[in-house]
Amino acid sequence: MDGPTPKKQKIVGSGEEPYVPENGDGEVSLIFSLLDKKGALAEALQPFKDTDISMSHIESRPSRNNPGKEYDFYVNCKGCPQEKIDQLVKLLKPISTSINVQRSKPTEDEEMWFPRTIKDLDKFANQIVEYGDELDADHPGFTDPVYRKRRKEFADIAFNHKHGRSIPTVEYTTEEVETWRTIFKELTKLHSTHACKEYNHNFPLLVENCGFNEDNIPQLEVVSNFLKECTGFQLRPVAGLLSSRDFLAGLAFRVFHSTQYIRHSSRPMYTPEPDVCHELMGHAPLFADPAFANFSQEIGLASLGAPDDYVKKLATFYWFTVEFGMCKQNGEKRAYGAGLLSSFGELQHCVSDKPSVELFEPEKIVVQEYPITEMQPVYFLADSFESAKEKLKAFAATIPKPFVLRYNPYTQSVEVLDNKNILANVVNDIQSDAELVQKALQKLP
């Protein structure tokens, strides 16, 4: 991603993201686009009838992205269970060029919904801000119908994915592999001198176990299985951009929502949004590191049930760490953020004298503004992933929540510590771990 940093990130929005009430009584808004052709609206209204969903409001306007050829429709519905919305979106998808679904936020008397188990991620995985084949007019692939069709193929794979299923294998084209080759060769020239030691330790393991090389784009399923063996992290294909709240929630369960498509071949060193090069060359190596995996999960856990303004702060924190983080090792500045490690230009920029490098203080990080279409002017330097995690936990303790959460790795679920029985189980687990540590210490020479 040489040149400007990605214009679109998986972390988006102001924190005021879609809310999914458990009782299904909330209001749902849909925005979908249709080609300007005879009978298009009648065809689009049929799925509402088939799913028995009543509309309380509908309006239309010429499409802002494709004026003269498409129309955008805004529809409000009330009292729609999630199952019906999923069915409706599935029926609308083949006849619309884009779909966006949003639910109303809870009232003050309602409890903020958040996923309790890893399977709950299925409930919002397809509530995307933009579908994968939606491209802005300035996107390198905007006028390329073959590329847009290919992007939709990848988006459809992700849209149909469910927890527990294998990620389908993709046969990448010769052109796509050539794009990967160009990026792979350029980035690997810099990693040994610019990337953190954890990255440089894990990257050869991915070469050995996951087929990382210039002639092969690794499969998400293969990489995901390797990461699970290392740290319990796994990859999940995503059909488009998720809201900040939904994306961060995945991290709480050690799930990283990953794109599977590759950037347009006309500009191999630039991408306006995350692609498979960014995910695999940037994120994957560090998710194999235990300390970094723990740190990433803490960001996700802090977001569960957090107010909107704090979700926005945590999204900013994510930007300056997991995406554009730097650390100090052996007296030198090294990169650990994926936005740096997957960008030839920004990787050189971050260790130069041009940007400002500040101390790692979460209270300052979460309010720091940043550009998304140019090189970062400010970075925050962490001493280590462990110290960064402890500082994050201290900040997370200030987030106003009426409960305390604990992740259970055995059931891949989060537990609300709200009664004595649950707390007693936690104490027993801690005591058992303490006894194991004591026995191990006694056996040390």
Side-chain angles (χ1 to χ4, degrees):
M1 291 185 293
D2 198 13
T5 53
K7 182 171 61 178
K8 298 179 183 176
Q9 298 290 331
K10 285 185 286 298
I11 291 292
V12 297
S14 63
E16 299 179 355
E17 287 89 7
Y19 166 67
V20 187
E22 291 183 294
N23 58 15
D25 292 334
E27 181 175 311
V28 179
S29 299
L30 293 94
I31 302 175
F32 57 91
S33 300
L34 301 176
L35 291 175
D36 185 10
K37 63 179 183 178
K38 185 178 180 180
L41 179 58
E43 185 180 13
L45 293 179
Q46 187 62 40
F48 289 87
K49 181 178 180 181
D50 294 341
T51 54
D52 195 28
I53 292 179
S54 299
M55 293 178 286
S56 58
H57 177 81
I58 182 171
E59 62 182 75
S60 65
R61 67 184 180 192
S63 173
R64 289 180 297 179
N65 293 329
N66 200 3
K69 296 183 179 180
E70 294 181 6
Y71 272 82
D72 295 334
F73 290 85
Y74 176 81
V75 177
N76 273 353
C77 312
K78 290 185 178 180
C80 301
Q82 185 62 41
E83 294 76 12
K84 281 194 174 184
I85 293 299
D86 288 342
Q87 185 181 1
L88 175 64
V89 170
K90 188 174 182 179
L91 293 174
L92 283 174
K93 190 158 65 74
I95 58 177
S96 60
T97 58
S98 67
I99 306 175
N100 183 18
V101 181
Q102 291 188 335
R103 284 190 179 273
S104 59
K105 294 187 293 182
T107 66
E108 293 182 359
D109 296 329
E110 292 178 311
E111 179 183 349
M112 175 66 76
W113 183 91
F114 57 87
R116 301 296 181 92
T117 70
I118 192 171
K119 190 175 182 180
D120 284 344
L121 301 184
D122 285 345
K123 295 182 179 180
F124 59 74
N126 290 329
Q127 292 185 8
I128 50 182
V129 178
E130 291 185 20
Y131 206 65
D133 61 336
E134 297 173 32
L135 307 178
D136 289 340
D138 59 350
H139 192 286
F142 181 75
T143 60
D144 186 342
V146 175
Y147 181 75
R148 297 186 69 136
K149 180 181 178 182
R150 183 66 164 158
R151 286 285 293 262
K152 189 175 188 303
E153 291 174 6
F154 285 109
D156 289 345
I157 289 174
F159 192 88
N160 293 308
H161 183 77
K162 297 294 182 182
H163 170 68
R165 296 179 184 175
S166 298
I167 304 172
T169 297
V170 172
E171 294 294 333
Y172 288 98
T173 66
T174 301
E175 183 179 33
E176 289 168 339
V177 173
E178 183 60 35
T179 300
W180 165 271
R181 180 182 295 111
T182 300
I183 299 163
F184 186 96
K185 291 171 68 174
E186 292 300 317
L187 287 176
T188 50
K189 294 176 183 177
L190 294 178
H191 285 158
S192 62
T193 54
H194 291 63
C196 64
K197 62 182 181 181
E198 291 83 359
Y199 183 95
N200 286 323
H201 172 77
N202 288 324
F203 193 83
L205 300 179
L206 291 168
V207 171
E208 179 182 351
N209 295 280
C210 302
F212 272 57
N213 63 70
E214 63 182 58
D215 298 318
N216 176 63
I217 302 177
Q219 297 294 328
L220 292 192
E221 177 70 10
V222 175
V223 178
S224 182
N225 288 336
F226 176 74
L227 295 179
K228 280 191 282 188
E229 293 177 357
C230 294
T231 62
F233 248 91
Q234 58 186 288
L235 305 180
R236 174 175 180 140
V238 65
L241 299 174
L242 291 172
S243 70
S244 301
R245 186 180 293 280
D246 291 346
F247 179 80
L248 293 177
L251 297 179
F253 298 88
R254 300 202 169 212
V255 172
F256 181 76
H257 288 85
S258 172
T259 55
Q260 205 169 11
Y261 61 83
I262 196 165
R263 64 195 65 177
H264 196 263
S265 60
S266 64
R267 299 186 66 183
M269 301 308 291
Y270 167 77
T271 177
E273 77 268 277
D275 71 337
V276 72
C277 299
H278 172 78
E279 319 289 35
L280 297 183
M281 295 295 290
H283 286 293
L286 280 167
F287 282 130
D289 179 76
F292 183 81
N294 292 339
F295 169 70
S296 301
Q297 184 180 29
E298 284 296 331
I299 301 176
L301 289 170
S303 75
L304 296 182
D308 290 335
D309 55 337
Y310 277 90
V311 170
K312 179 183 178 181
K313 291 179 178 180
L314 289 169
T316 301
F317 184 84
Y318 174 94
W319 175 274
F320 282 110
T321 54
V322 180
E323 288 293 347
F324 292 96
M326 297 187 67
C327 59
K328 189 175 183 179
Q329 294 181 341
N330 298 323
E332 297 181 338
K333 294 180 293 184
R334 293 298 183 105
Y336 70 85
L340 304 175
L341 295 165
S342 62
S343 170
F344 187 80
E346 187 121 17
L347 193 52
Q348 293 175 304
H349 170 76
C350 72
V351 298
S352 70
D353 295 329
K354 295 179 181 179
S356 173
V357 180
E358 308 292 337
L359 295 176
F360 192 91
E361 299 177 4
E363 293 78 9
K364 293 183 178 180
I365 295 174
V366 298
V367 295
Q368 176 66 47
E369 295 184 355
Y370 54 87
I372 57 176
T373 58
E374 59 189 52
M375 299 288 186
Q376 299 300 299
V378 179
Y379 300 99
F380 292 90
L381 194 67
D383 293 327
S384 66
F385 298 142
E386 290 84 355
S387 66
K389 185 185 74 171
E390 292 307 312
K391 291 181 179 181
L392 168 62
K393 291 174 72 173
F395 171 77
T398 68
I399 299 176
K401 295 182 186 181
F403 49 76
V404 175
L405 296 176
R406 177 191 185 230
Y407 179 71
N408 186 328
Y410 303 109
T411 60
Q412 294 182 300
S413 63
V414 291
E415 301 169 343
V416 179
L417 307 183
D418 59 357
N419 65 67
K420 292 181 179 180
N421 290 333
I422 294 178
L423 291 174
N425 291 334
V426 173
V427 171
N428 288 335
D429 289 343
I430 294 174
Q431 288 177 339
S432 297
D433 290 341
E435 291 173 1
L436 286 175
V437 171
Q438 185 177 15
K439 290 179 181 178
L441 289 172
Q442 292 173 351
K443 294 182 180 295
L444 290 178

